[in-house]
Amino acid sequence: MAGVLREFRARRALVKVCADRESLGEAAGGHGAALLRERLAAKSVVRVIFACAPSQEATLAALTAARGIDWHRVHALHMDEYIGLPAAHPASFRRWLKEHLVAKVRPGRVDYLNGDAADAEAECRRYADWVAASPVDMCFLGFGENGHIAFNDPPVADFEDSQRVKIVTLDEACRMQQAAEGHFPTLDDVPRQALTLTCPVLLAADYLIASVAGPRKAEAVRQAIKGPRSTACPASAIMDHPRATVYLDAES
């Protein structure tokens, strides 16, 4: 595959190291497109979870540019959202998903987590019912600097979580990452709580495609690949998924 420098197994997952962020996106997006075409050839509807983060931009750019995908038969699920943040806010993940996916390919159905719902617990139950409606085929995700997947930070991550969607208090390291990436002017502006799909939901997807770029993610990558399966680095659980592919750039 063009742009892939080397690949190896980390427990059950396949890890591919790419030259840079752009080649990472092309490889991960191309892989995702091939899987979508394969699934759509066998099923009437394909359900996909999408993360919303800078690490996903190159991957989704390649995915949405790919040909031969009947997006009308793709149902998109939203991974996480800040509590109290309106959909129009520049840092809203609903806004990000609309700009980077929905506006480009128009999936047949998109259901967003409503972070500014009047009753956050009721919103968790509503979205959990939608998640449980049928199996998830694919999940595009990344690693947080603290190893989180979605907003399952180390203090709240649970690989056996009984909930599908829950309210979480964000770890300080997670909030610092959001501010450092320019999503918010200062740390104080970053919301302290969010709605998130839980670890079991993400890990139950038939295929996982993780895009992890940049030097700030290197320590999380090291812990995920070389450390034990532990909620101290939630991304470590990806390495036990039999159909997970982790795409790294040289810096991560």
Side-chain angles (χ1 to χ4, degrees), residues 178-199:
Q178 309 308 311
E181 289 180 344
H183 303 304
F184 298 91
T186 70
L187 179 62
D188 287 342
D189 294 304
V190 182
R192 295 182 180 276
Q193 290 190 305
L195 305 176
T196 188
L197 302 188
T198 59
C199 294

Side-chain angles (χ1 to χ4, degrees), residues 2-249:
V4 176
L5 302 177
R6 65 189 180 101
E7 60 181 64
F8 58 91
R9 287 279 172 186
R11 300 201 297 274
R12 303 181 78 185
L14 180 62
V15 179
K16 298 191 177 191
V17 182
C18 301
D20 50 36
R21 189 181 294 256
E22 290 70 29
S23 55
L24 182 161
E26 290 173 5
H31 182 190
L35 285 176
L36 269 179
R37 286 190 288 265
E38 179 183 299
R39 282 282 163 138
L40 287 165
K43 301 177 63 176
S44 59
V45 171
V46 174
R47 304 180 88 213
V48 186
I49 298 171
F50 291 96
C52 304
S55 64
Q56 305 300 304
E57 289 179 5
T59 297
L60 283 195
L63 178 67
T64 56
R67 298 186 178 185
I69 298 172
D70 183 0
W71 284 98
H72 291 98
R73 293 194 287 123
V74 176
H75 289 183
L77 288 78
H78 185 191
M79 185 175 286
D80 47 19
E81 183 60 283
Y82 298 104
I83 287 180
L85 210 64
H89 191 283
S92 165
F93 292 146
R94 284 167 287 176
R95 176 172 175 165
W96 192 98
L97 197 59
K98 289 175 184 177
E99 291 178 356
H100 292 273
L101 178 79
V102 178
K104 294 181 178 181
V105 294
R106 305 292 180 187
R109 176 170 176 176
V110 185
D111 207 335
Y112 299 102
L113 275 165
N114 183 6
D116 52 350
D119 186 335
E121 290 286 0
E123 177 64 4
C124 288
R125 293 191 295 271
R126 179 194 73 81
Y127 209 81
D129 288 344
W130 159 232
V131 169
S134 63
V136 173
D137 295 271
M138 298 170 57
C139 177
F140 289 88
L141 73 168
F143 298 3
E145 291 176 18
N146 63 356
H148 72 223
I149 50 176
F151 270 142
N152 296 285
D153 289 325
V156 299
D158 182 352
F159 296 152
E160 308 300 328
D161 210 315
S162 61
Q163 300 179 79
R164 292 185 177 91
V165 186
K166 68 181 181 181
I167 297 169
V168 293
T169 297
L170 299 178
D171 187 27
E172 189 77 356
C174 175
R175 295 179 64 244
M176 289 174 67
Q177 176 184 336
Q178 309 308 311
E181 289 180 344
H183 303 304
F184 298 91
T186 70
L187 179 62
D188 287 342
D189 294 304
V190 182
R192 295 182 180 276
Q193 290 190 305
L195 305 176
T196 188
L197 302 188
T198 59
C199 294
V201 170
L202 305 178
L203 298 170
D206 284 347
Y207 290 89
L208 303 181
I209 296 179
S211 299
V212 189
R216 297 172 67 97
K217 303 294 180 71
E219 179 57 23
V221 168
R222 186 191 69 79
Q223 291 185 34
I225 291 175
K226 295 192 172 184
R229 186 180 192 269
S230 168
T231 55
C233 178
S236 64
I238 292 172
M239 303 306 153
D240 291 320
H241 193 292
R243 290 178 296 279
T245 307
V246 179
Y247 289 89
L248 310 175
D249 67 359

